[in-house]
Amino acid sequence: MGEMEQLRKEAESLKDDITAARKAVQDLTLQDHVAGTAVVGRVQLKTRKTLRGHLAKIYAMHWGTDSKLCVSASQDGKLIVWDSYTTNKVHAIPLKSSWVMTCSYAPSGNMVACGGLDNMCSIYNLKGKDGNVKVMRELAAHTGYLSCCRFLNDNEIITSSGDCTCVLWDIETGSQKTVFAGHLGDCMSLGVAPDFNTFISGACDFTAKLWDIRDGQCRQTFGGHESDINAIGFFPNGNAVITGSDDASCKLYDLRSDQELITYQDSSIMCGVTSIAPSLSGRLILAGYDDFNCNIWDSLKAERVGVLSGHDNRVSCIGVTPDGMACCTGSWDSFLKIWN
Amino acid sequence: MTINTLSQDGVQRQQMPCLTKTPYYWMSTRWPASELDYAIYLAKKNIRKQGELIEYEKECYNALHKRINHTWDFVVMQAREQLRASKQRRKADRIVLECQEQAYWLVNRPPPGTLENIDYGPERRTMNTRVQLIRMLNSTKKSYVKYCEQYQPHDPIMQGCLPSNPWITDDIMFWNMHSETVAVPTKLRVERWSFSFMELLNDSMGRKEFLTYLEKEFSAENLCFWQACEDVRHGETSKIPEKVDEVYKQFLAPGASRWVNIDSKTMEKTLEGLKRPHRFVLDDAQMHIYFLMKKDSYPRYLKSELYKNLLARAIVPQETKKSVFPFMRRQRHSSPSPALATQIGEDDGKGKNSNSVKSNSGTASRL
C-alpha cells in the first residue's frame, strides 16, 4: 500500500512539474506580445434592463440574431421570448415538461427550441399562420437529458445530451442525421463555429471535442480541466475555443496548434463556472459563476477586469448580443438582466 | 488510422487498411537504412511528381546521384518497379504504405535541424524544443492580439459606439443607421468588409456592393453560384433535388447561361455526385469558387474605385449629446463588488486616463 501512495505522490508532483513548465512557457510568450497592447482598465458594466416574468429558476437564454429579441427558459414550465429593449414579452410559451434545461433561437428568427429532462428537443414555430405558437416537432431519440441545443438553420439542429452523444437532426423529418459519439461523460454544452462547418462540445469527462458536421468525426480533443466542463463557446475569430468548468477555471484552447493557450483563474474564486460568452472583439470574456456573480476577464492578459454583481442566486446563463452591444445574464433568482 | 471516404450516396464508409504488411518500415526491426534504399525512395518521389522533392531532398538526391552513379540505372529501375507494383494495391493500402515510408525516411534521414527524437527519448526537453514551442506559441498569440486590436473599435462593450449605445441613452439611432437598407453606411461598417472575405459576405449590403463590382467585371455568376450553394446547404431537405437541378441548369451545364469556371477534376466529381443529390453535393464546387473570389476578385474590389468611393462617402455618426433634462439625469455609480473593494475611491466611474476603456458611464439611464 505504501508503494501505491509513493507512486501516487510521484505522479502528482510530475503533474505539477508539467503545469509549471507549461506556465513558464506561456508567461514568456504572454509578456512578449501582450505587453504592447493597451491596458483594458477596469470595466464597469451596469444593469440597463431587468426582465421580470419568470416564476422559477431560469436555466437558459439565447439571443436572436437581431440583437434585441431573446428567449429564456425557466423551470416554471415557460419559454418566454422577450423584446429585451422594451422589456415586453413577445411570446410566453407553456411547455409540456417543466424540467427544461436549454433553449435556442433560430438564426432566421422563425423558431425556438427547448429541451431538458424529458430527453426530447421540442421545436416551436413562432411564425405560425394564425399567430399562435405551436409545437412543430418533437425530436425524441436521446436516452439522456437534453443539456444544450443550437440551430444551424431552419432545417437542422444540433443537440447535446446526458447520454454522452451529440446529434444532428433534420427538423422536417424529425430524424437523426448524424450521431457524434465519443465523449465518456454527459455532454453539457455545445457551440457552433461561425462558419457552420464544425461544432464543439464540452462534457463531464473533463474534455472538449471539436466535431466535423459533414462527416461526423471528432477532429480534436482538448483536455486539461480537472472537473466537468459546463460551458463552451467559440472565440469570435473561429480559431479558438473557450471553456468554463466546475474546477473554477476557464480555458482558451487554440484549434490550429491543438493546445491550451491560457487559463483564467484566481485563487479567490472557488466555485464552478456555469456559463461563458466572449465580447465581440474577443478581448473580454464574460463568465457566470455559482457564487451569484459574473467575472469579466481580459482574454489576452488573463486578468480579471470587472465583475457583474446584482443577482441574488446562481448565474445560470450568459449571452452577448451578436452586435456586441450588451450582455444578458439569467439567474436562479428568476430574473434576466441586461448589462453594458 | 482509418480512412473515411464519402461515397456518392453521401453515406460514409470506413476502411481499415492492414498496417501489418510492411515490417520493413517498423522502427523496431531497425533495418539499416542504406543509401541505395534512400536513393530509390527519392527517385520514386521524383518520378511520381516533378518538383515534389523539397530543398534538402533535392540536395541529397544530387549528392547520391554523384556518389552511386554506377548503380543509378538499377536505382531508377527499382523505383519504377515499386511504383508500378504500388499501383496494383488498393488505394487505402497505398496511402498507408506511403505514410509509413515517409515517416521512416523522416526519422532516418531527417531534414537539417530537427532533433533525433527516437534516439533521445522522453528526456528531450532541450533548449531547442523549448525555443520551437515558444516560437509557435508566439505566432499564435500574435494573431489573437491582432484580431482583438482590429475588432476593438467595433466592440461596443470595449469602446462604446457612435452615435450612442441605445441601451444607455434610449436612443435607437445606432440601430437605424446600421439597418440593412440604409442609404449611406457608416465608416466602421465599410471598413469591416476589408477585414476578411467572410465579413463582406456576411453583410447583405456588402454582398450587394460586391455583386455590383463583379457585374462590371463580368464575373457576377460566381457570387450568384455561391449564394445558390448556400441555399442548398441550409435549406429544406425535401427541396434539395430540385434546387440542385436548378443550379446545374444555370451554372454547371455546358452552355449554361451563367456558367461558372471550375477546374475539370472538381466539375467531374460534382457532376458524378449530382446523380444522387444530397445537402453537401455542391460543397467542392462552392469551395473552389469561394477561393477564386477570395484570392482574385475580393482583393481587387478592396482596391477598386467603387469601394474607395463608398468608404469616402460613409459617415461617421456624431455623438448624441447627453440628455438635457436635469430631472432625468442621475449620476449612477455601480455598487463596488466586494472582490474589488481595494479599488474604491480610485475613480468616479469615468475613465481618467486615455488608456481606460469605459467612457460611457455617467449618462442618464433607467433601471
Side-chain angles (χ1 to χ4, degrees):
Chain A
M1 225 31 206
E3 204 183 324
M4 271 301 282
E5 240 341 277
Q6 227 180 355
L7 287 171
R8 198 171 291 139
K9 277 210 180 100
E10 204 182 319
E12 278 301 312
S13 82
L14 277 173
K15 227 175 77 175
D16 287 335
D17 283 345
I18 293 174
T19 318
R22 266 202 174 142
K23 189 138 206 319
V25 175
Q26 279 179 12
D27 285 346
L28 230 100
T29 56
L30 257 175
Q31 277 154 32
D32 273 348
H33 289 285
V34 182
T37 329
V39 172
V40 167
R42 194 166 145 208
V43 175
Q44 280 176 282
L45 300 189
K46 300 176 187 167
T47 307
R48 304 293 172 187
K49 310 272 180 196
T50 303
L51 305 179
R52 298 164 215 274
H54 279 299
L55 304 171
K57 298 176 178 163
I58 294 176
Y59 268 79
M61 68 80 54
H62 193 217
W63 282 104
T65 45
D66 69 349
S67 298
K68 278 187 234 139
L69 296 175
C70 67
V71 64
S72 63
S74 159
Q75 292 210 336
D76 60 3
K78 285 256 174 12
L79 208 63
I80 299 186
V81 177
W82 308 84
D83 176 343
S84 53
Y85 191 62
T86 59
T87 71
N88 290 336
K89 300 179 193 48
V90 179
H91 299 285
I93 308 167
L95 304 173
K96 279 191 203 164
S97 155
S98 68
W99 304 112
V100 64
M101 293 173 70
T102 181
C103 61
S104 175
Y105 214 125
S108 62
N110 295 333
M111 302 189 247
V112 290
C114 69
L117 292 182
D118 57 357
N119 297 3
M120 285 197 314
C121 182
S122 310
I123 315 267
Y124 293 84
N125 184 357
L126 297 177
K127 305 276 169 83
K129 287 201 188 89
D130 50 1
N132 285 340
V133 176
K134 288 195 285 244
V135 179
M136 206 176 98
R137 282 283 178 278
E138 280 173 345
L139 308 174
H142 277 301
T143 53
Y145 60 87
L146 207 84
S147 52
C148 192
C149 57
R150 284 291 176 258
F151 280 94
L152 289 182
N153 48 57
D154 278 4
N155 299 285
E156 297 177 301
I157 188 169
I158 300 186
T159 57
S160 66
S161 165
D163 63 9
C164 311
T165 64
C166 298
V167 172
L168 170 72
W169 303 81
D170 179 318
I171 295 176
E172 229 179 315
T173 57
S175 60
Q176 296 179 304
K177 284 218 302 212
T178 320
V179 178
F180 304 90
H183 274 299
L184 301 171
D186 302 6
C187 295
M188 294 305 292
S189 177
L190 72 95
V192 181
D195 64 4
F196 293 99
N197 286 333
T198 55
F199 77 93
I200 39 170
S201 61
C204 291
D205 60 2
F206 314 170
T207 65
K209 283 182 187 281
L210 176 81
W211 306 87
D212 183 320
I213 294 179
R214 256 192 64 165
D215 61 20
Q217 295 303 306
C218 170
R219 293 263 165 253
Q220 288 169 269
T221 304
F222 302 97
H225 273 297
E226 289 162 9
S227 189
D228 304 352
I229 294 180
N230 293 322
I232 201 165
F234 266 94
F235 197 80
N237 67 1
N239 290 330
V241 166
I242 44 177
T243 55
S245 161
D246 270 345
D247 65 7
S249 74
C250 302
K251 286 183 193 282
L252 179 93
Y253 295 98
D254 180 65
L255 296 179
R256 285 172 304 187
S257 58
D258 193 33
Q259 62 172 293
E260 173 193 327
L261 272 193
I262 307 176
T263 302
Y264 307 97
Q265 66 190 14
D266 191 286
S267 49
S268 62
I269 305 174
M270 285 176 297
C271 59
V273 180
T274 58
S275 45
I276 200 164
S279 73
L280 189 142
S281 65
R283 186 66 197 270
L284 301 175
I285 293 183
L286 297 100
Y289 288 74
D290 282 343
D291 65 358
F292 311 173
N293 286 331
C294 251
N295 288 318
I296 308 176
W297 296 90
D298 176 337
S299 63
L300 300 180
K301 300 203 181 193
E303 290 165 354
R304 198 154 54 133
V305 290
V307 178
L308 303 178
S309 46
H311 280 294
D312 298 322
N313 206 322
R314 175 191 289 196
V315 173
S316 56
C317 49
I318 195 168
V320 174
T321 57
D323 63 7
M325 290 280 210
C327 94
C328 175
T329 53
S331 162
W332 280 9
D333 65 6
S334 81
F335 298 124
L336 292 148
K337 287 186 192 282
I338 316 276
W339 310 76
N340 68 18
Chain B
M1 181 179 104
T2 59
I3 294 174
N4 299 312
T5 49
L6 194 73
S7 59
Q8 269 124 33
D9 56 358
V11 174
Q12 73 134 23
R13 296 191 164 78
Q14 287 186 350
Q15 297 160 304
M16 196 58 153
C18 183
L19 292 172
T20 55
K21 282 188 186 144
T22 54
Y24 179 74
Y25 293 126
W26 297 355
M27 295 304 154
S28 54
T29 54
R30 294 191 174 257
W31 288 104
S34 72
E35 291 205 315
L36 200 64
D37 293 324
Y38 191 46
I40 294 172
Y41 166 66
L42 288 178
K44 267 201 303 192
K45 238 181 147 179
N46 206 19
I47 294 173
R48 203 164 38 213
K49 192 175 169 192
Q50 280 296 341
E52 195 168 319
L53 293 177
I54 49 184
E55 267 314 310
Y56 86 96
E57 278 178 351
K58 275 197 205 125
E59 286 168 7
C60 292
Y61 188 68
N62 294 333
L64 280 168
H65 187 82
K66 272 195 210 124
R67 261 210 305 276
I68 52 173
N69 201 309
H70 49 284
T71 56
W72 202 250
D73 287 340
F74 175 71
V75 167
V76 173
M77 190 196 74
Q78 265 292 303
R80 288 220 176 94
E81 261 307 304
Q82 287 186 12
L83 276 175
R84 200 185 56 79
S86 73
K87 280 202 174 75
Q88 310 284 357
R89 293 202 183 92
R90 262 178 26 190
K91 184 172 176 193
D93 288 343
R94 191 165 34 154
I95 294 173
V96 170
L97 286 174
E98 281 169 20
C99 285
Q100 285 187 318
E101 196 181 14
Q102 189 177 33
Y104 178 80
W105 287 114
L106 262 178
V107 172
N108 284 299
R109 293 283 187 276
T114 48
L115 294 174
E116 302 282 345
N117 294 329
I118 301 290
D119 290 338
Y120 284 131
E123 299 89 42
R124 55 189 168 88
R125 276 271 175 219
T126 61
M127 265 318 276
N128 259 339
T129 36
R130 205 166 155 183
V131 166
Q132 279 173 17
L133 190 64
I134 289 173
R135 233 177 256 148
M136 177 185 64
L137 282 178
N138 267 347
S139 63
T140 315
K141 289 245 170 83
K142 252 190 223 158
S143 70
Y144 285 101
V145 173
K146 184 166 163 243
Y147 183 90
C148 289
E149 281 176 352
Q150 190 180 45
Y151 278 85
Q152 185 161 311
H154 299 260
D155 187 342
I157 297 182
M158 288 285 291
Q159 208 157 288
C161 60
L162 298 171
S164 68
N165 191 320
W167 295 98
I168 299 176
T169 58
D170 285 339
D171 170 24
I172 59 168
M173 214 196 309
F174 178 87
W175 285 322
N176 290 342
M177 290 179 123
H178 285 79
S179 73
E180 298 207 343
T181 51
V182 73
V184 185
T186 60
K187 226 182 196 58
L188 274 182
R189 184 178 179 177
V190 180
E191 269 172 9
R192 202 165 157 176
W193 300 343
S194 67
F195 289 178
S196 72
F197 191 34
M198 272 323 284
E199 285 285 358
L200 178 69
L201 290 180
N202 280 339
D203 186 344
S204 61
M205 182 185 263
R207 276 202 307 274
K208 227 173 55 173
E209 289 291 315
F210 191 51
L211 188 69
T212 316
Y213 174 73
L214 289 179
E215 272 163 4
K216 292 200 173 124
E217 302 232 314
F218 303 107
S219 53
E221 66 274 0
N222 288 339
L223 186 60
C224 297
F225 176 68
W226 181 85
Q227 278 183 272
C229 292
E230 284 287 284
D231 194 35
V232 170
R233 269 184 86 186
H234 298 290
E236 287 170 38
T237 317
S238 54
K239 296 218 171 107
I240 287 180
E242 69 179 74
K243 279 186 185 169
V244 167
D245 197 45
E246 255 315 299
V247 167
Y248 172 72
K249 285 203 194 98
Q250 272 199 30
F251 299 100
L252 297 172
S257 57
R258 301 163 109 187
W259 190 79
V260 285
N261 193 357
I262 306 178
D263 68 291
S264 55
K265 196 166 144 203
T266 313
M267 178 67 93
E268 218 181 281
K269 192 169 167 204
T270 309
L271 292 178
E272 227 358 81
L274 289 185
K275 293 183 187 159
R276 284 154 158 240
H278 58 92
R279 193 172 285 272
F280 304 114
V281 72
L282 294 169
D283 267 16
D284 289 328
Q286 184 187 20
M287 190 96 322
H288 182 92
I289 294 293
Y290 174 82
F291 280 113
L292 193 70
M293 289 194 288
K294 181 177 170 181
K295 295 265 154 70
D296 185 32
S297 319
Y298 173 61
R300 282 189 290 116
Y301 169 66
L302 292 181
K303 297 193 191 117
S304 70
E305 286 307 314
L306 195 66
Y307 179 72
K308 288 192 181 143
N309 283 341
L310 189 64
L311 194 58
R313 277 187 303 130
I315 46 179
V316 178
Q318 289 288 348
E319 183 174 4
T320 313
K321 288 206 168 63
K322 294 190 181 136
S323 166
V324 293
F325 300 113
F327 56 87
M328 269 183 68
R329 202 141 181 225
R330 277 176 280 171
Q331 280 295 334
R332 299 203 70 85
H333 297 279
S334 73
S335 47
S337 134
L340 297 168
T342 50
Q343 294 191 33
I344 295 172
E346 189 184 291
D347 59 284
D348 59 356
K350 289 200 179 135
K352 276 213 178 117
N353 50 1
S354 56
N355 274 343
S356 163
V357 168
K358 199 81 190 70
S359 56
N360 268 340
S361 47
T363 51
S365 63
R366 282 200 293 264
L367 181 59

